[in-house]
């Protein structure tokens, strides 16, 4: 469980990135953190694994204050995948790249082998095992970066902008994988601008603006609220626009549908009637 | 650590007497401080030079930035102090530390107050070929970018359990590999794409370029140059024609 209480953070050059953020994330939740550029999303998630320490307020991970433990210690529990895979790939093969974190965190050689095999299979990277990570395509590099963190099997997995530069097929695959990982009892948190991705695969949306949390709730409540969307420079999902427009024409048609299947279901039941 | 060290040499836009000086004047200043610092090996003249270098830093209202540049080199300064005390004596060691501080101060006074583009323009007006001047200004422009990138890479690898302080000396050096390789790979990639975007904007198509701005020395520059020359002549006089003064060779009371 992650408990953030009245968190403030100012960068050395004077930018106030977080202004009193409070947030509770339970075990096994699936959360998308959204909001415009510079809203403080990345700064917030860097507090989850102790890369940044609270200047005011507290961040507790399973009851432990992040100020009292090292990043390496937290890394076993909280896996943070950065936006740009090129900021972390350095090994000569994909396999070694994955093993790096496991070696750092002191797993036994059997565990290392087992987890490496598991993660390469889970992310469909087995065929690249002996390839150099740098020779792979952008999307594949992003998957290797994910593998290099996921191999630890962190209870809490955090991804910063996982969908950037991914084609539709890869995005769908990624969404399914994250869902599967979450359903195994882990917490999955993403930072994203992609409303379609967020509404499709995540159950809770946290919207940030100017260093504060301005909305927190299920996608169909948050991503259909014009005030919130406007304040955070987000566009609603296409399905939400459509349901909104239909609701204008047809009496008591729900305005807050964000999933395609839900909309389809609603239309079908009405047509049958 | 690396970040603060770099940020000390990063240009900050301010409106002060020093910021508005011609880059050539400031170049001359750094050159003079450097020459004087390298001429002397005893404490008193280096201390005088140190105080002299502080004047432009104070005038430029950049004390905070300057201090952070010194903070970044603390380890190096301590290293020089210890090694020289063993090899020579404490007097020499203190003088060498002062000399390095003077050099750092002189260079950071230049880079903190001079925009890379002005530096390039100054070099061009000093008949340095445009390509070289441009390369230099590009290089200075990318120092902070590189520092930020290094910080991100460090964060990413620490998230994978990398502990830089772990292990003995060889292990500590090996700990740097996961930082250095991504940094080099990204720099090469960036260099390639910069080159491509320069080419696509017809870089070097015209041999003789014209410039929007021309640098001109002002009264303020001449005043500053006068003080610099007076200082330089005094120091040279003390060094070569006045070598027997005892106060110049004052030693620490040990």
């Amino acid at each position: 469980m992650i408990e953030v209480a009245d968190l403030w953070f100012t960068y050395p050059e004077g930018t106030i990135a977080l202004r009193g953020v409070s947030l509770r994330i339970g075990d096994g939740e699936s959360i998308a953190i959204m909001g415009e550029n510079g809203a403080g999303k990345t700064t917030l998630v860097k507090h989850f694994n102790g890369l940044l320490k609270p200047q005011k307020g507290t961040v507790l991970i399973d009851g432990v204050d992040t100020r009292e433990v090292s990043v390496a210690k937290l890394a076993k529990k909280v896996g943070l995948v950065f936006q740009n895979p090129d900021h972390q790939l350095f090994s000569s093969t994909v396999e070694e790249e994955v093993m790096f974190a496991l070696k750092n965190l002191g797993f036994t050689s059997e565990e290392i082998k087992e987890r490496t095999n598991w993660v390469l299979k889970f992310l469909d990277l087995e065929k690249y095992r002996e390839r150099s990570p740098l020779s792979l395509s952008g999307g594949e590099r992003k998957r290797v970066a994910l593998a290099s963190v996921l191999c630890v099997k962190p209870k809490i997995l955090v991804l910063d902008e996982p969908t950037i530069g991914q084609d539709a097929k890869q995005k769908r695959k990624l969404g399914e994988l994250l869902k599967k990982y979450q359903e195994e009892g882990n917490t999955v948190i993403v930072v994203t601008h992609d409303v379609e991705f967020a509404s499709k695969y995540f159950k809770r949306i946290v919207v940030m603006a100017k260093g504060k949390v301005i909305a927190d709730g299920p996608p169909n409540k948050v991503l259909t609220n014009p005030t919130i969307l406007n304040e955070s420079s987000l566009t609603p999902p296409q399905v939400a626009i459509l349901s909104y427009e239909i609701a204008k024409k047809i009496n008591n048609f729900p305005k807050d549908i964000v999933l395609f299947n839900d909309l389809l279901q609603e239309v079908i039941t009405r047509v049958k009637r | 650590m690396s970040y603060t060290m770099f940020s000390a040499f990063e240009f900050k836009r301010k409106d002060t007497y020093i910021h508005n000086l011609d880059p050539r004047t400031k170049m001359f200043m750094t050159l003079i401080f450097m020459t004087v610092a390298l001429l002397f090996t005893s404490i008193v003249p280096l201390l005088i030079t140190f105080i002299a270098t502080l004047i432009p830093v104070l005038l430029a209202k950049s004390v905070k930035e300057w201090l952070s540049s010194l903070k970044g080199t603390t380890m190096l300064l301590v290293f020089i102090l210890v090694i020289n005390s063993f090899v020579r004596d404490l007097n020499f060691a203190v003088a060498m530390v002062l000399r390095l501080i003077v050099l750092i101060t002189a260079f950071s006074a230049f880079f903190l107050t001079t925009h890379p583009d002005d530096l390039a323009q100054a070099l061009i007006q000093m008949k340095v070929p445009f390509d070289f001047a441009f390369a230099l200004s590009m290089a200075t422009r990318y120092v902070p970018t590189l520092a930020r990138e290094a910080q991100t890479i460090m964060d990413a690898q620490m998230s994978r359990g990398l502990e830089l302080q772990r292990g003995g000396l060889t292990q500590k050096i090996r700990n740097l590999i996961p930082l250095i390789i991504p940094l080099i790979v990204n720099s090469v990639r960036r260099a390639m794409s910069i080159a491509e975007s320069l080419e696509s904007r017809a870089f070097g198509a015209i041999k003789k370029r014209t410039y929007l701005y021309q640098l001109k020395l002002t009264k303020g520059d001449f005043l500053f140059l006068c003080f610099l020359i007076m200082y330089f002549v005094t120091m040279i006089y003390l060094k070569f024609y006045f070598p027997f003064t005892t106060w110049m060779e004052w030693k620490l009371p040990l």
Side-chain angles (χ1 to χ4, degrees):
Chain A
M1 175 149 50
I2 304 175
E3 291 161 283
V4 181
D6 191 33
L7 178 62
W8 286 74
F9 191 84
T10 309
Y11 281 102
E13 74 270 17
T15 330
I16 306 175
L18 298 176
R19 303 166 185 263
V21 171
S22 296
L23 196 63
R24 246 178 110 89
I25 299 174
D27 288 339
E29 280 202 65
S30 76
I31 297 192
I33 300 176
M34 313 194 72
E36 59 190 341
N37 296 331
K41 305 176 301 270
T42 303
T43 311
L44 177 64
V45 297
K46 277 189 182 170
H47 278 86
F48 292 167
N49 75 341
L51 279 174
L52 297 176
K53 308 283 183 190
Q55 288 166 347
K56 204 181 138 210
T58 51
V59 177
L60 304 180
I61 306 295
D62 287 340
V64 179
D65 194 323
T66 56
R67 267 177 295 207
E68 278 152 26
V69 275
S70 67
V71 179
K73 240 206 183 108
L74 281 166
K76 269 191 159 175
K77 218 174 247 175
V78 186
L80 178 57
V81 186
F82 277 64
Q83 198 174 85
N84 186 349
D86 296 337
H87 283 151
Q88 54 169 289
L89 302 180
F90 72 99
S91 304
S92 43
T93 67
V94 169
E95 187 177 27
E96 279 173 45
E97 193 68 57
V98 169
M99 280 156 58
F100 175 69
L102 296 169
K103 281 182 186 159
N104 281 333
L105 298 175
F107 287 93
T108 64
S109 56
E110 272 148 52
E111 279 174 314
I112 292 179
K113 225 179 187 172
E114 187 194 313
R115 279 163 188 254
T116 308
N117 289 337
W118 169 77
V119 84
L120 291 180
K121 202 168 168 201
F122 191 77
L123 293 177
D124 194 21
L125 287 167
E126 273 168 316
K127 51 183 175 295
Y128 302 129
R129 188 183 278 264
E130 301 297 327
R131 285 270 295 275
S132 158
L134 296 174
S135 71
L136 300 174
S137 76
E140 289 158 351
R141 286 210 295 273
K142 232 167 145 115
R143 246 168 40 240
V144 175
L146 171 59
S148 75
V149 172
L150 189 62
C151 58
V152 179
K153 293 192 185 173
K155 253 182 73 187
I156 301 163
L157 179 67
V158 188
L159 299 102
D160 195 355
E161 298 284 9
T163 58
I164 284 187
Q166 302 274 60
D167 58 30
K169 195 176 150 199
Q170 289 299 341
K171 236 195 251 186
R172 200 168 56 236
K173 258 188 173 168
L174 178 73
E176 299 295 340
L177 285 169
L178 294 180
K179 214 169 167 182
K180 197 170 152 200
Y181 191 67
Q182 182 254 330
E183 279 163 3
E184 286 169 13
N186 304 295
T187 310
V188 176
I189 303 169
V190 296
V191 170
T192 184
H193 286 284
D194 191 329
V195 279
E196 312 288 343
F197 184 75
S199 58
K200 205 165 169 193
Y201 299 104
F202 295 85
K203 297 196 185 90
R204 182 175 162 194
I205 310 285
V206 172
V207 182
M208 293 183 70
K210 300 190 180 72
K212 282 183 180 152
V213 172
I214 59 162
D216 185 349
N220 63 335
K221 292 280 172 278
V222 174
L223 294 178
T224 55
N225 182 329
T227 336
I228 296 168
L229 292 171
N230 195 22
E231 238 182 286
S232 54
S233 318
L234 291 169
T235 38
Q238 289 177 355
V239 176
I241 300 174
L242 187 56
S243 89
Y244 187 80
E245 291 300 321
I246 299 174
K248 270 201 217 161
K249 302 258 156 55
I250 295 170
N251 273 341
N252 63 45
F253 190 90
K255 281 187 202 168
D256 59 350
I257 299 180
V258 290
L259 293 178
F260 177 76
N261 282 338
D262 294 353
L263 183 67
L264 190 66
Q265 204 55 50
E266 185 70 34
V267 171
I268 289 172
T269 35
R270 274 164 189 268
V271 169
K272 274 186 180 167
R273 228 190 279 155
Chain B
M1 182 208 96
S2 54
Y3 192 79
T4 49
M5 207 169 108
F6 280 124
S7 78
F9 292 98
E10 189 181 346
F11 171 73
K12 304 235 166 57
R13 199 176 298 279
K14 279 179 191 169
D15 190 23
T16 72
Y17 174 64
I18 299 290
H19 281 77
N20 294 333
L21 284 177
D22 191 291
R24 288 168 293 180
T25 310
K26 284 182 271 188
M27 226 182 270
F28 187 65
M29 168 195 80
T30 305
L31 193 71
I32 282 190
F33 285 141
M34 204 173 80
T35 316
V36 173
L38 296 178
L39 274 178
F40 292 96
T41 50
S42 45
I43 296 175
V44 175
L46 283 168
L47 203 60
I48 297 171
T49 308
F50 170 62
I51 293 164
T53 53
L54 270 185
I55 296 168
V57 174
L58 285 170
L59 285 176
K61 298 189 179 118
S62 303
V63 177
K64 226 176 80 189
E65 292 87 349
W66 166 72
L67 275 177
S68 73
S69 72
L70 278 188
K71 228 160 77 189
T73 48
T74 317
M75 282 303 290
L76 187 63
L77 292 172
V78 170
F79 183 73
I80 287 176
L81 188 73
V82 172
I83 293 288
N84 279 301
S85 327
F86 278 120
V87 180
R88 294 278 291 268
D89 56 83
L90 191 63
N91 278 295
F92 186 73
V94 170
M96 286 306 103
V97 167
L98 268 174
R99 178 188 275 180
L100 186 65
I101 292 178
V102 166
L103 291 178
I104 292 169
T105 313
F107 275 93
S108 71
F110 179 80
F111 283 105
L112 280 172
T113 61
T114 309
H115 192 282
D117 290 352
D118 290 340
L119 170 59
Q121 186 59 34
L123 290 174
I124 290 161
Q125 285 179 233
M126 289 159 78
K127 305 279 181 258
V128 172
F130 175 74
D131 292 9
F132 290 103
F134 184 75
L136 188 75
S137 92
M138 285 281 274
T140 29
R141 189 252 154 268
Y142 276 100
V143 169
T145 309
L146 213 64
R148 257 191 294 278
E149 189 156 46
Q151 185 64 52
T152 311
I153 292 169
M154 206 180 329
D155 284 350
Q157 305 298 35
M158 277 167 71
S159 301
R160 296 164 77 195
L162 175 71
E163 285 174 291
L164 290 172
Q165 298 304 322
R166 188 165 57 187
L169 187 65
T170 41
Q171 182 59 41
K172 270 187 187 145
I173 293 168
R174 289 186 54 168
N175 286 345
L176 294 176
I177 295 174
L179 304 182
I180 291 168
I181 292 181
L183 200 59
I184 294 174
V185 170
N186 284 325
S187 301
V188 171
R189 279 205 181 128
R190 185 165 38 235
M192 298 285 200
S193 70
I194 292 170
E196 278 168 3
S197 64
L198 282 174
E199 296 280 349
S200 60
R201 282 187 259 173
F203 181 82
I206 296 166
K207 285 283 157 278
K208 192 161 168 49
R209 300 178 63 98
T210 54
Y211 299 95
L212 187 54
Y213 300 107
Q214 286 288 330
L215 295 168
K216 259 203 198 112
L217 293 173
T218 60
K219 267 186 203 149
D221 285 306
F222 286 117
L223 186 72
F224 195 76
L225 286 171
C226 280
F227 278 115
L228 276 175
I229 291 165
M230 266 158 58
Y231 161 78
F232 187 61
V233 170
T234 317
M235 293 314 274
I236 293 293
Y237 180 73
L238 287 174
K239 173 82 185 173
F240 294 105
Y241 302 99
F242 213 61
F244 304 115
T245 36
T246 44
W247 62 269
M248 284 279 284
E249 295 299 328
W250 177 85
K251 291 208 175 357
L252 292 167
L254 291 172

